[in-house]
Amino acid sequence: INAAKGVIPDDEIATMKAEARVVRDLSYYHLIDLFGKGPWVTESSPTNVTPPTLSREELYDSVVNDLVNVIPSIRPASEQVYGRVSREGARALLAKMYLNAEVYTGTPAWDKCAAQCTEITKTINNLAPDYRYLFCATNDKYVGNGEIIWGIPQDEHSIQTFGGTTYLAVGAYNGSCKDILKQLGVSDGSGWGGPRIRPELSKAFESGDKRRLIYEGSFQEDLTDIGAWTEDGCGYMCIKWVYTPETDYTNESGDYTNNTGLSSADFPLFRLADIYLMLSECYANGVATVDGVKYFNLVRERAGLDPVSTVTKDGILKERMCELYWEGHRRSDLIRFGKYTGSDYNWQWKGGTQAGSGIESYRNVYPIPYQFVPTLGQNTGY
């Protein structure tokens, strides 16, 4: 009930229900990607009845069908309210399903992925002017009808969590690095000394790449001690997520000092640079109707890098790492490119050894949590 306007109109209720379906489909996308199989529940499912367990392919078909049917009912980004999913956001989710179709079902869908990405670029087609601004306290200006097609709102005062971008910011900071903490907008004593950057990411950036938001300080690049939390042997510190606003990003004024550690940076679930690289990947996989080189170079241009004349699958995977690190895409990317399991592509501490070693193919999906095994069964290998 709206106190000023009375009962919520029926058309608004219908729109909200459609958006709820997309959010549900997002959860199923995560279930498909992480665990493979799972229960299928909709608003029509009976209560107090164990839902059916669907295979990965069955879940994929169900989610894709639901998204295709619901997308026309979602408001376009130009008309949508901040924090709610737009039509372009729903298309981005559908595009992700198609992007990974071969992993999920055994049958690729590159043409369908390209079609959804192309639809998005008809209405959202401008990257943020500076890569850094997408991860600062005022990045909400790019959410919805900007580069961040679907953002998860977070605010240090009203939408608080010790997870989300808070964990990606203060969780990654080391409180002893006082020379950099002021620039990041946090108090001198802040920092949980948690996640670190693996050397493979640090070394992947070309000279002059503006996306390399990494603090070296007195840290060691190699992870000689994966259990270390101090400067010795635990990798460089990520400073991609900051507490300062776009207008004073490096805190020259000294006005920005966050004493709580709670972040105001929204999390970019899907953004336009990712869509551009997805189009490049579709092109590299035979979709000739898109200019994959153009989209690839648009991402590189913003990073301050020279354009390329051709794109390769290995080049796309590397570019995705440099563009999208710490945004939750790397595992799925490595699996799609056939480099997550096995030993053809290693990174430090893969397989439990510092140099990296092969892991079994069944680890492309996670084990079913213990409490759900009686109804779902366990994934092979666990």
Side-chain angles (χ1 to χ4, degrees):
I1 303 296
N2 184 310
K5 300 180 180 180
V7 177
I8 299 175
D10 289 343
D11 59 344
E12 177 65 7
I13 292 175
T15 299
M16 295 170 70
K17 286 182 177 180
E19 292 171 21
R21 284 169 59 184
V22 176
V23 174
R24 182 179 65 197
D25 288 332
L26 174 66
S27 295
Y28 272 111
Y29 160 65
H30 291 147
L31 189 151
I32 293 167
D33 190 74
L34 297 173
F35 299 103
K37 61 185 176 182
W40 177 250
V41 181
T42 71
E43 63 274 18
S44 301
S45 299
T47 58
N48 298 319
V49 176
T50 301
T53 297
L54 300 189
S55 67
R56 203 177 206 183
E57 185 173 358
E58 290 171 331
L59 283 174
Y60 172 91
D61 290 340
S62 299
V63 171
V64 166
N65 182 66
D66 192 50
L67 284 169
V68 168
N69 287 318
V70 78
I71 281 174
S73 302
I74 306 296
R75 290 195 187 103
S78 60
E79 302 173 14
Q80 186 54 291
V81 176
Y82 164 74
R84 288 168 58 174
V85 61
S86 67
R87 186 176 300 168
E88 290 87 343
R91 286 194 185 279
L93 175 57
L94 181 56
K96 280 289 182 182
M97 294 292 294
Y98 288 141
L99 180 75
N100 294 289
E102 189 167 10
V103 174
Y104 300 157
T105 72
T107 303
W110 299 110
D111 54 341
K112 294 180 179 179
C113 178
Q116 292 301 319
C117 291
T118 300
E119 284 297 317
I120 292 170
T121 62
K122 291 179 180 178
T123 51
I124 298 179
N125 45 42
N126 287 304
L127 297 175
D130 192 314
Y131 180 80
R132 300 173 302 169
Y133 297 163
L134 293 164
F135 314 101
C136 70
T138 52
N139 70 344
D140 56 292
K141 69 179 289 185
Y142 300 107
V143 172
N145 202 30
E147 178 171 345
I148 302 176
I149 299 169
W150 188 346
I152 308 301
Q154 192 167 327
D155 184 273
E156 65 173 304
H157 301 295
S158 59
I159 310 176
Q160 301 174 333
T161 176
F162 287 114
T165 56
T166 295
Y167 181 72
L168 295 172
V170 72
Y173 299 162
N174 189 297
S176 65
C177 302
K178 300 185 185 301
D179 58 328
I180 191 68
L181 291 181
K182 179 181 178 181
Q183 177 182 319
L184 300 173
V186 296
S187 64
D188 288 348
S190 294
W192 300 345
R196 289 289 178 271
I197 286 175
R198 294 180 188 269
E200 290 78 14
L201 172 62
S202 173
K203 295 173 181 177
F205 292 97
E206 299 175 35
S207 177
D209 194 327
K210 298 176 182 178
R211 300 170 298 189
R212 191 179 187 275
L213 302 177
I214 296 173
Y215 175 76
E216 298 182 8
S218 58
F219 294 104
Q220 295 180 9
E221 186 174 37
D222 285 335
L223 296 173
T224 55
D225 183 357
I226 198 171
W229 298 102
T230 57
E231 282 88 345
D232 296 332
C234 65
Y236 290 157
M237 188 169 82
C238 180
I239 54 172
K240 180 172 179 174
W241 303 88
V242 300
Y243 291 87
T244 53
E246 176 180 323
T247 53
D248 190 10
Y249 182 84
T250 57
N251 202 16
E252 294 295 326
S253 67
D255 293 339
Y256 301 96
T257 303
N258 184 306
N259 293 309
T260 67
L262 296 167
S263 175
S264 289
D266 295 348
F267 183 79
L269 191 65
F270 303 126
R271 57 186 179 88
L272 184 60
D274 184 13
I275 298 300
Y276 283 173
L277 292 175
M278 289 165 66
L279 283 165
S280 297
E281 191 173 339
C282 291
Y283 169 80
N285 281 280
V287 181
T289 55
V290 297
D291 190 344
V293 177
K294 179 190 78 171
Y295 289 115
F296 191 83
N297 283 329
L298 285 173
V299 175
R300 289 177 59 83
E301 179 183 2
R302 201 252 305 268
L305 302 177
D306 294 332
V308 299
S309 57
T310 59
V311 294
T312 65
K313 293 181 181 181
D314 284 344
I316 291 169
L317 181 60
K318 178 184 176 182
E319 199 67 32
R320 289 186 63 82
M321 174 168 64
C322 294
E323 176 68 27
L324 301 167
Y325 66 98
W326 284 40
E327 294 180 55
H329 299 278
R330 185 62 175 170
R331 173 188 162 276
S332 297
D333 288 349
L334 288 173
I335 291 173
R336 190 172 63 257
F337 281 79
K339 296 181 181 293
Y340 186 70
T341 57
S343 56
D344 291 343
Y345 180 84
N346 289 334
W347 55 88
Q348 283 196 11
W349 295 102
K350 174 185 176 182
T353 63
Q354 184 186 353
S357 55
I359 58 176
E360 302 90 339
S361 61
Y362 70 81
R363 296 190 183 275
N364 278 323
V365 291
Y366 287 124
I368 300 296
Y370 175 79
Q371 64 268 39
F372 301 113
V373 171
T375 53
L376 300 180
Q378 185 56 273
N379 281 327
T380 301
Y382 292 105

